[in-house]
Amino acid sequence: NTYAEVRRFLNDWIDRIDPVYFAASLPPDFLFPSDAECCRLLEHCVMPVGKARHIPFAMMIGVKRGVNPLLRMAGDGIGKSSVASLEAICAAYPDNKFMITMLSRENQHELCIAARKFRNLMLFGCWWFLNVPSMIRELTAMRIDLLGFSFIPQHSDARVTDQLIYKWSHSRIVIADVLIEKYQGILDAGWPVTAEDIRRDVAALFGGNFKKFIGQ
């Protein structure tokens, strides 16, 4: 009865809190398909409920818990994850929507290519150890080169409120600098850029893409 009870639990809480997406943090050794309990719960519970209730599933993949136990909650590390598993889950469930961020820098180029291939996949954010200005700059520029403006450049996953404040303040500055460089490149190529073009693109990056993807 486990699967039926998990589905009931999910549906009950959907009715109570009206969420806009599911979310889970997963280790770098997450593989799909597999017979692991995690994958069986996804297959028999999260995927059918998400499809029926039209709720995307956000996956944050790549954290290695407790690499230094002496540091307790500060002792987590990172590992390279399997983009092939992400591609497999997107292909297996074309009627479900997936939001994805990965923690390892080494995953980012392959992740962008996956986002080009699956319409049910939305790439989002610079998570945790990638939330530093140099990485935000690199990843935002690469994503624009490969995906245009069809991604979510940053997200508010902070567990502590004051982390959220600095995260957004430096992210806006860095992302703005990247956009200026991209627009200048367009101008140098002889294509006009209007204020309305910029407003449209910024609105998409900072809210519009998310709302469109989740169907709001």
Side-chain angles (χ1 to χ4, degrees):
N1 295 325
T2 300
Y3 295 145
E5 283 299 296
V6 172
R7 290 193 296 268
R8 180 198 58 77
F9 174 85
L10 292 173
N11 278 302
D12 285 352
W13 278 99
I14 290 170
D15 292 338
R16 293 185 187 192
I17 66 175
D18 190 25
V20 292
Y21 59 88
F22 298 128
S25 176
L26 300 166
D29 58 359
F30 168 76
L31 295 176
F32 181 92
S34 81
D35 193 45
E37 290 179 355
C38 175
C39 285
R40 283 186 280 150
L41 286 170
L42 288 177
E43 177 184 357
H44 295 286
C45 305
V46 177
M47 294 299 102
V49 173
K51 178 181 177 181
R53 303 299 293 266
H54 305 289
I55 299 176
F57 181 42
M59 292 184 287
M60 306 167 72
I61 308 176
V63 58
K64 293 173 68 175
R65 298 293 183 189
V67 296
N68 185 351
L70 294 177
L71 295 178
R72 293 185 289 185
M73 288 188 68
D76 295 342
I78 69 173
K80 190 175 184 296
S81 305
S82 169
V83 177
S85 291
L86 174 65
E87 294 169 337
I89 199 170
C90 288
Y93 300 100
D95 295 325
N96 289 78
K97 293 182 178 181
F98 301 92
M99 298 162 57
I100 180 68
T101 192
M102 286 185 170
L103 193 52
S104 173
R105 180 189 185 191
E106 288 72 24
N107 280 126
Q108 302 308 314
H109 181 250
E110 189 178 3
L111 187 57
C112 281
I113 304 307
R116 288 169 62 101
K117 304 305 175 183
F118 292 94
R119 62 184 299 177
N120 60 337
L121 176 61
M122 174 65 72
L123 195 157
F124 75 96
C126 297
W127 177 32
W128 205 340
F129 299 114
L130 294 176
N131 179 40
V132 292
S134 60
M135 289 291 97
I136 296 170
R137 179 182 298 278
E138 175 184 320
L139 297 185
T140 302
M142 179 176 63
R143 290 166 177 177
I144 292 175
D145 287 342
L146 290 171
L147 300 173
F149 294 105
S150 59
F151 65 98
I152 300 167
Q154 193 53 287
H155 69 301
S156 54
D157 71 317
R159 290 183 291 180
V160 181
T161 302
D162 59 355
Q163 294 176 351
L164 179 59
I165 294 171
Y166 87 82
K167 183 173 188 175
W168 280 106
S169 61
H170 72 218
S171 293
R172 286 197 299 269
I173 293 170
V174 173
I175 293 168
D177 288 344
V178 174
L179 290 175
I180 290 169
E181 293 173 3
K182 297 301 182 183
Y183 289 130
Q184 187 61 55
I186 294 172
L187 290 169
D188 292 343
W191 191 269
V193 176
T194 67
E196 182 56 37
D197 292 333
I198 296 172
R199 282 192 291 266
R200 177 202 62 210
D201 296 339
V202 172
L205 289 171
F206 288 95
N209 289 338
F210 172 72
K211 292 180 179 178
K212 182 178 179 181
F213 189 71
I214 66 172
Q216 287 191 351

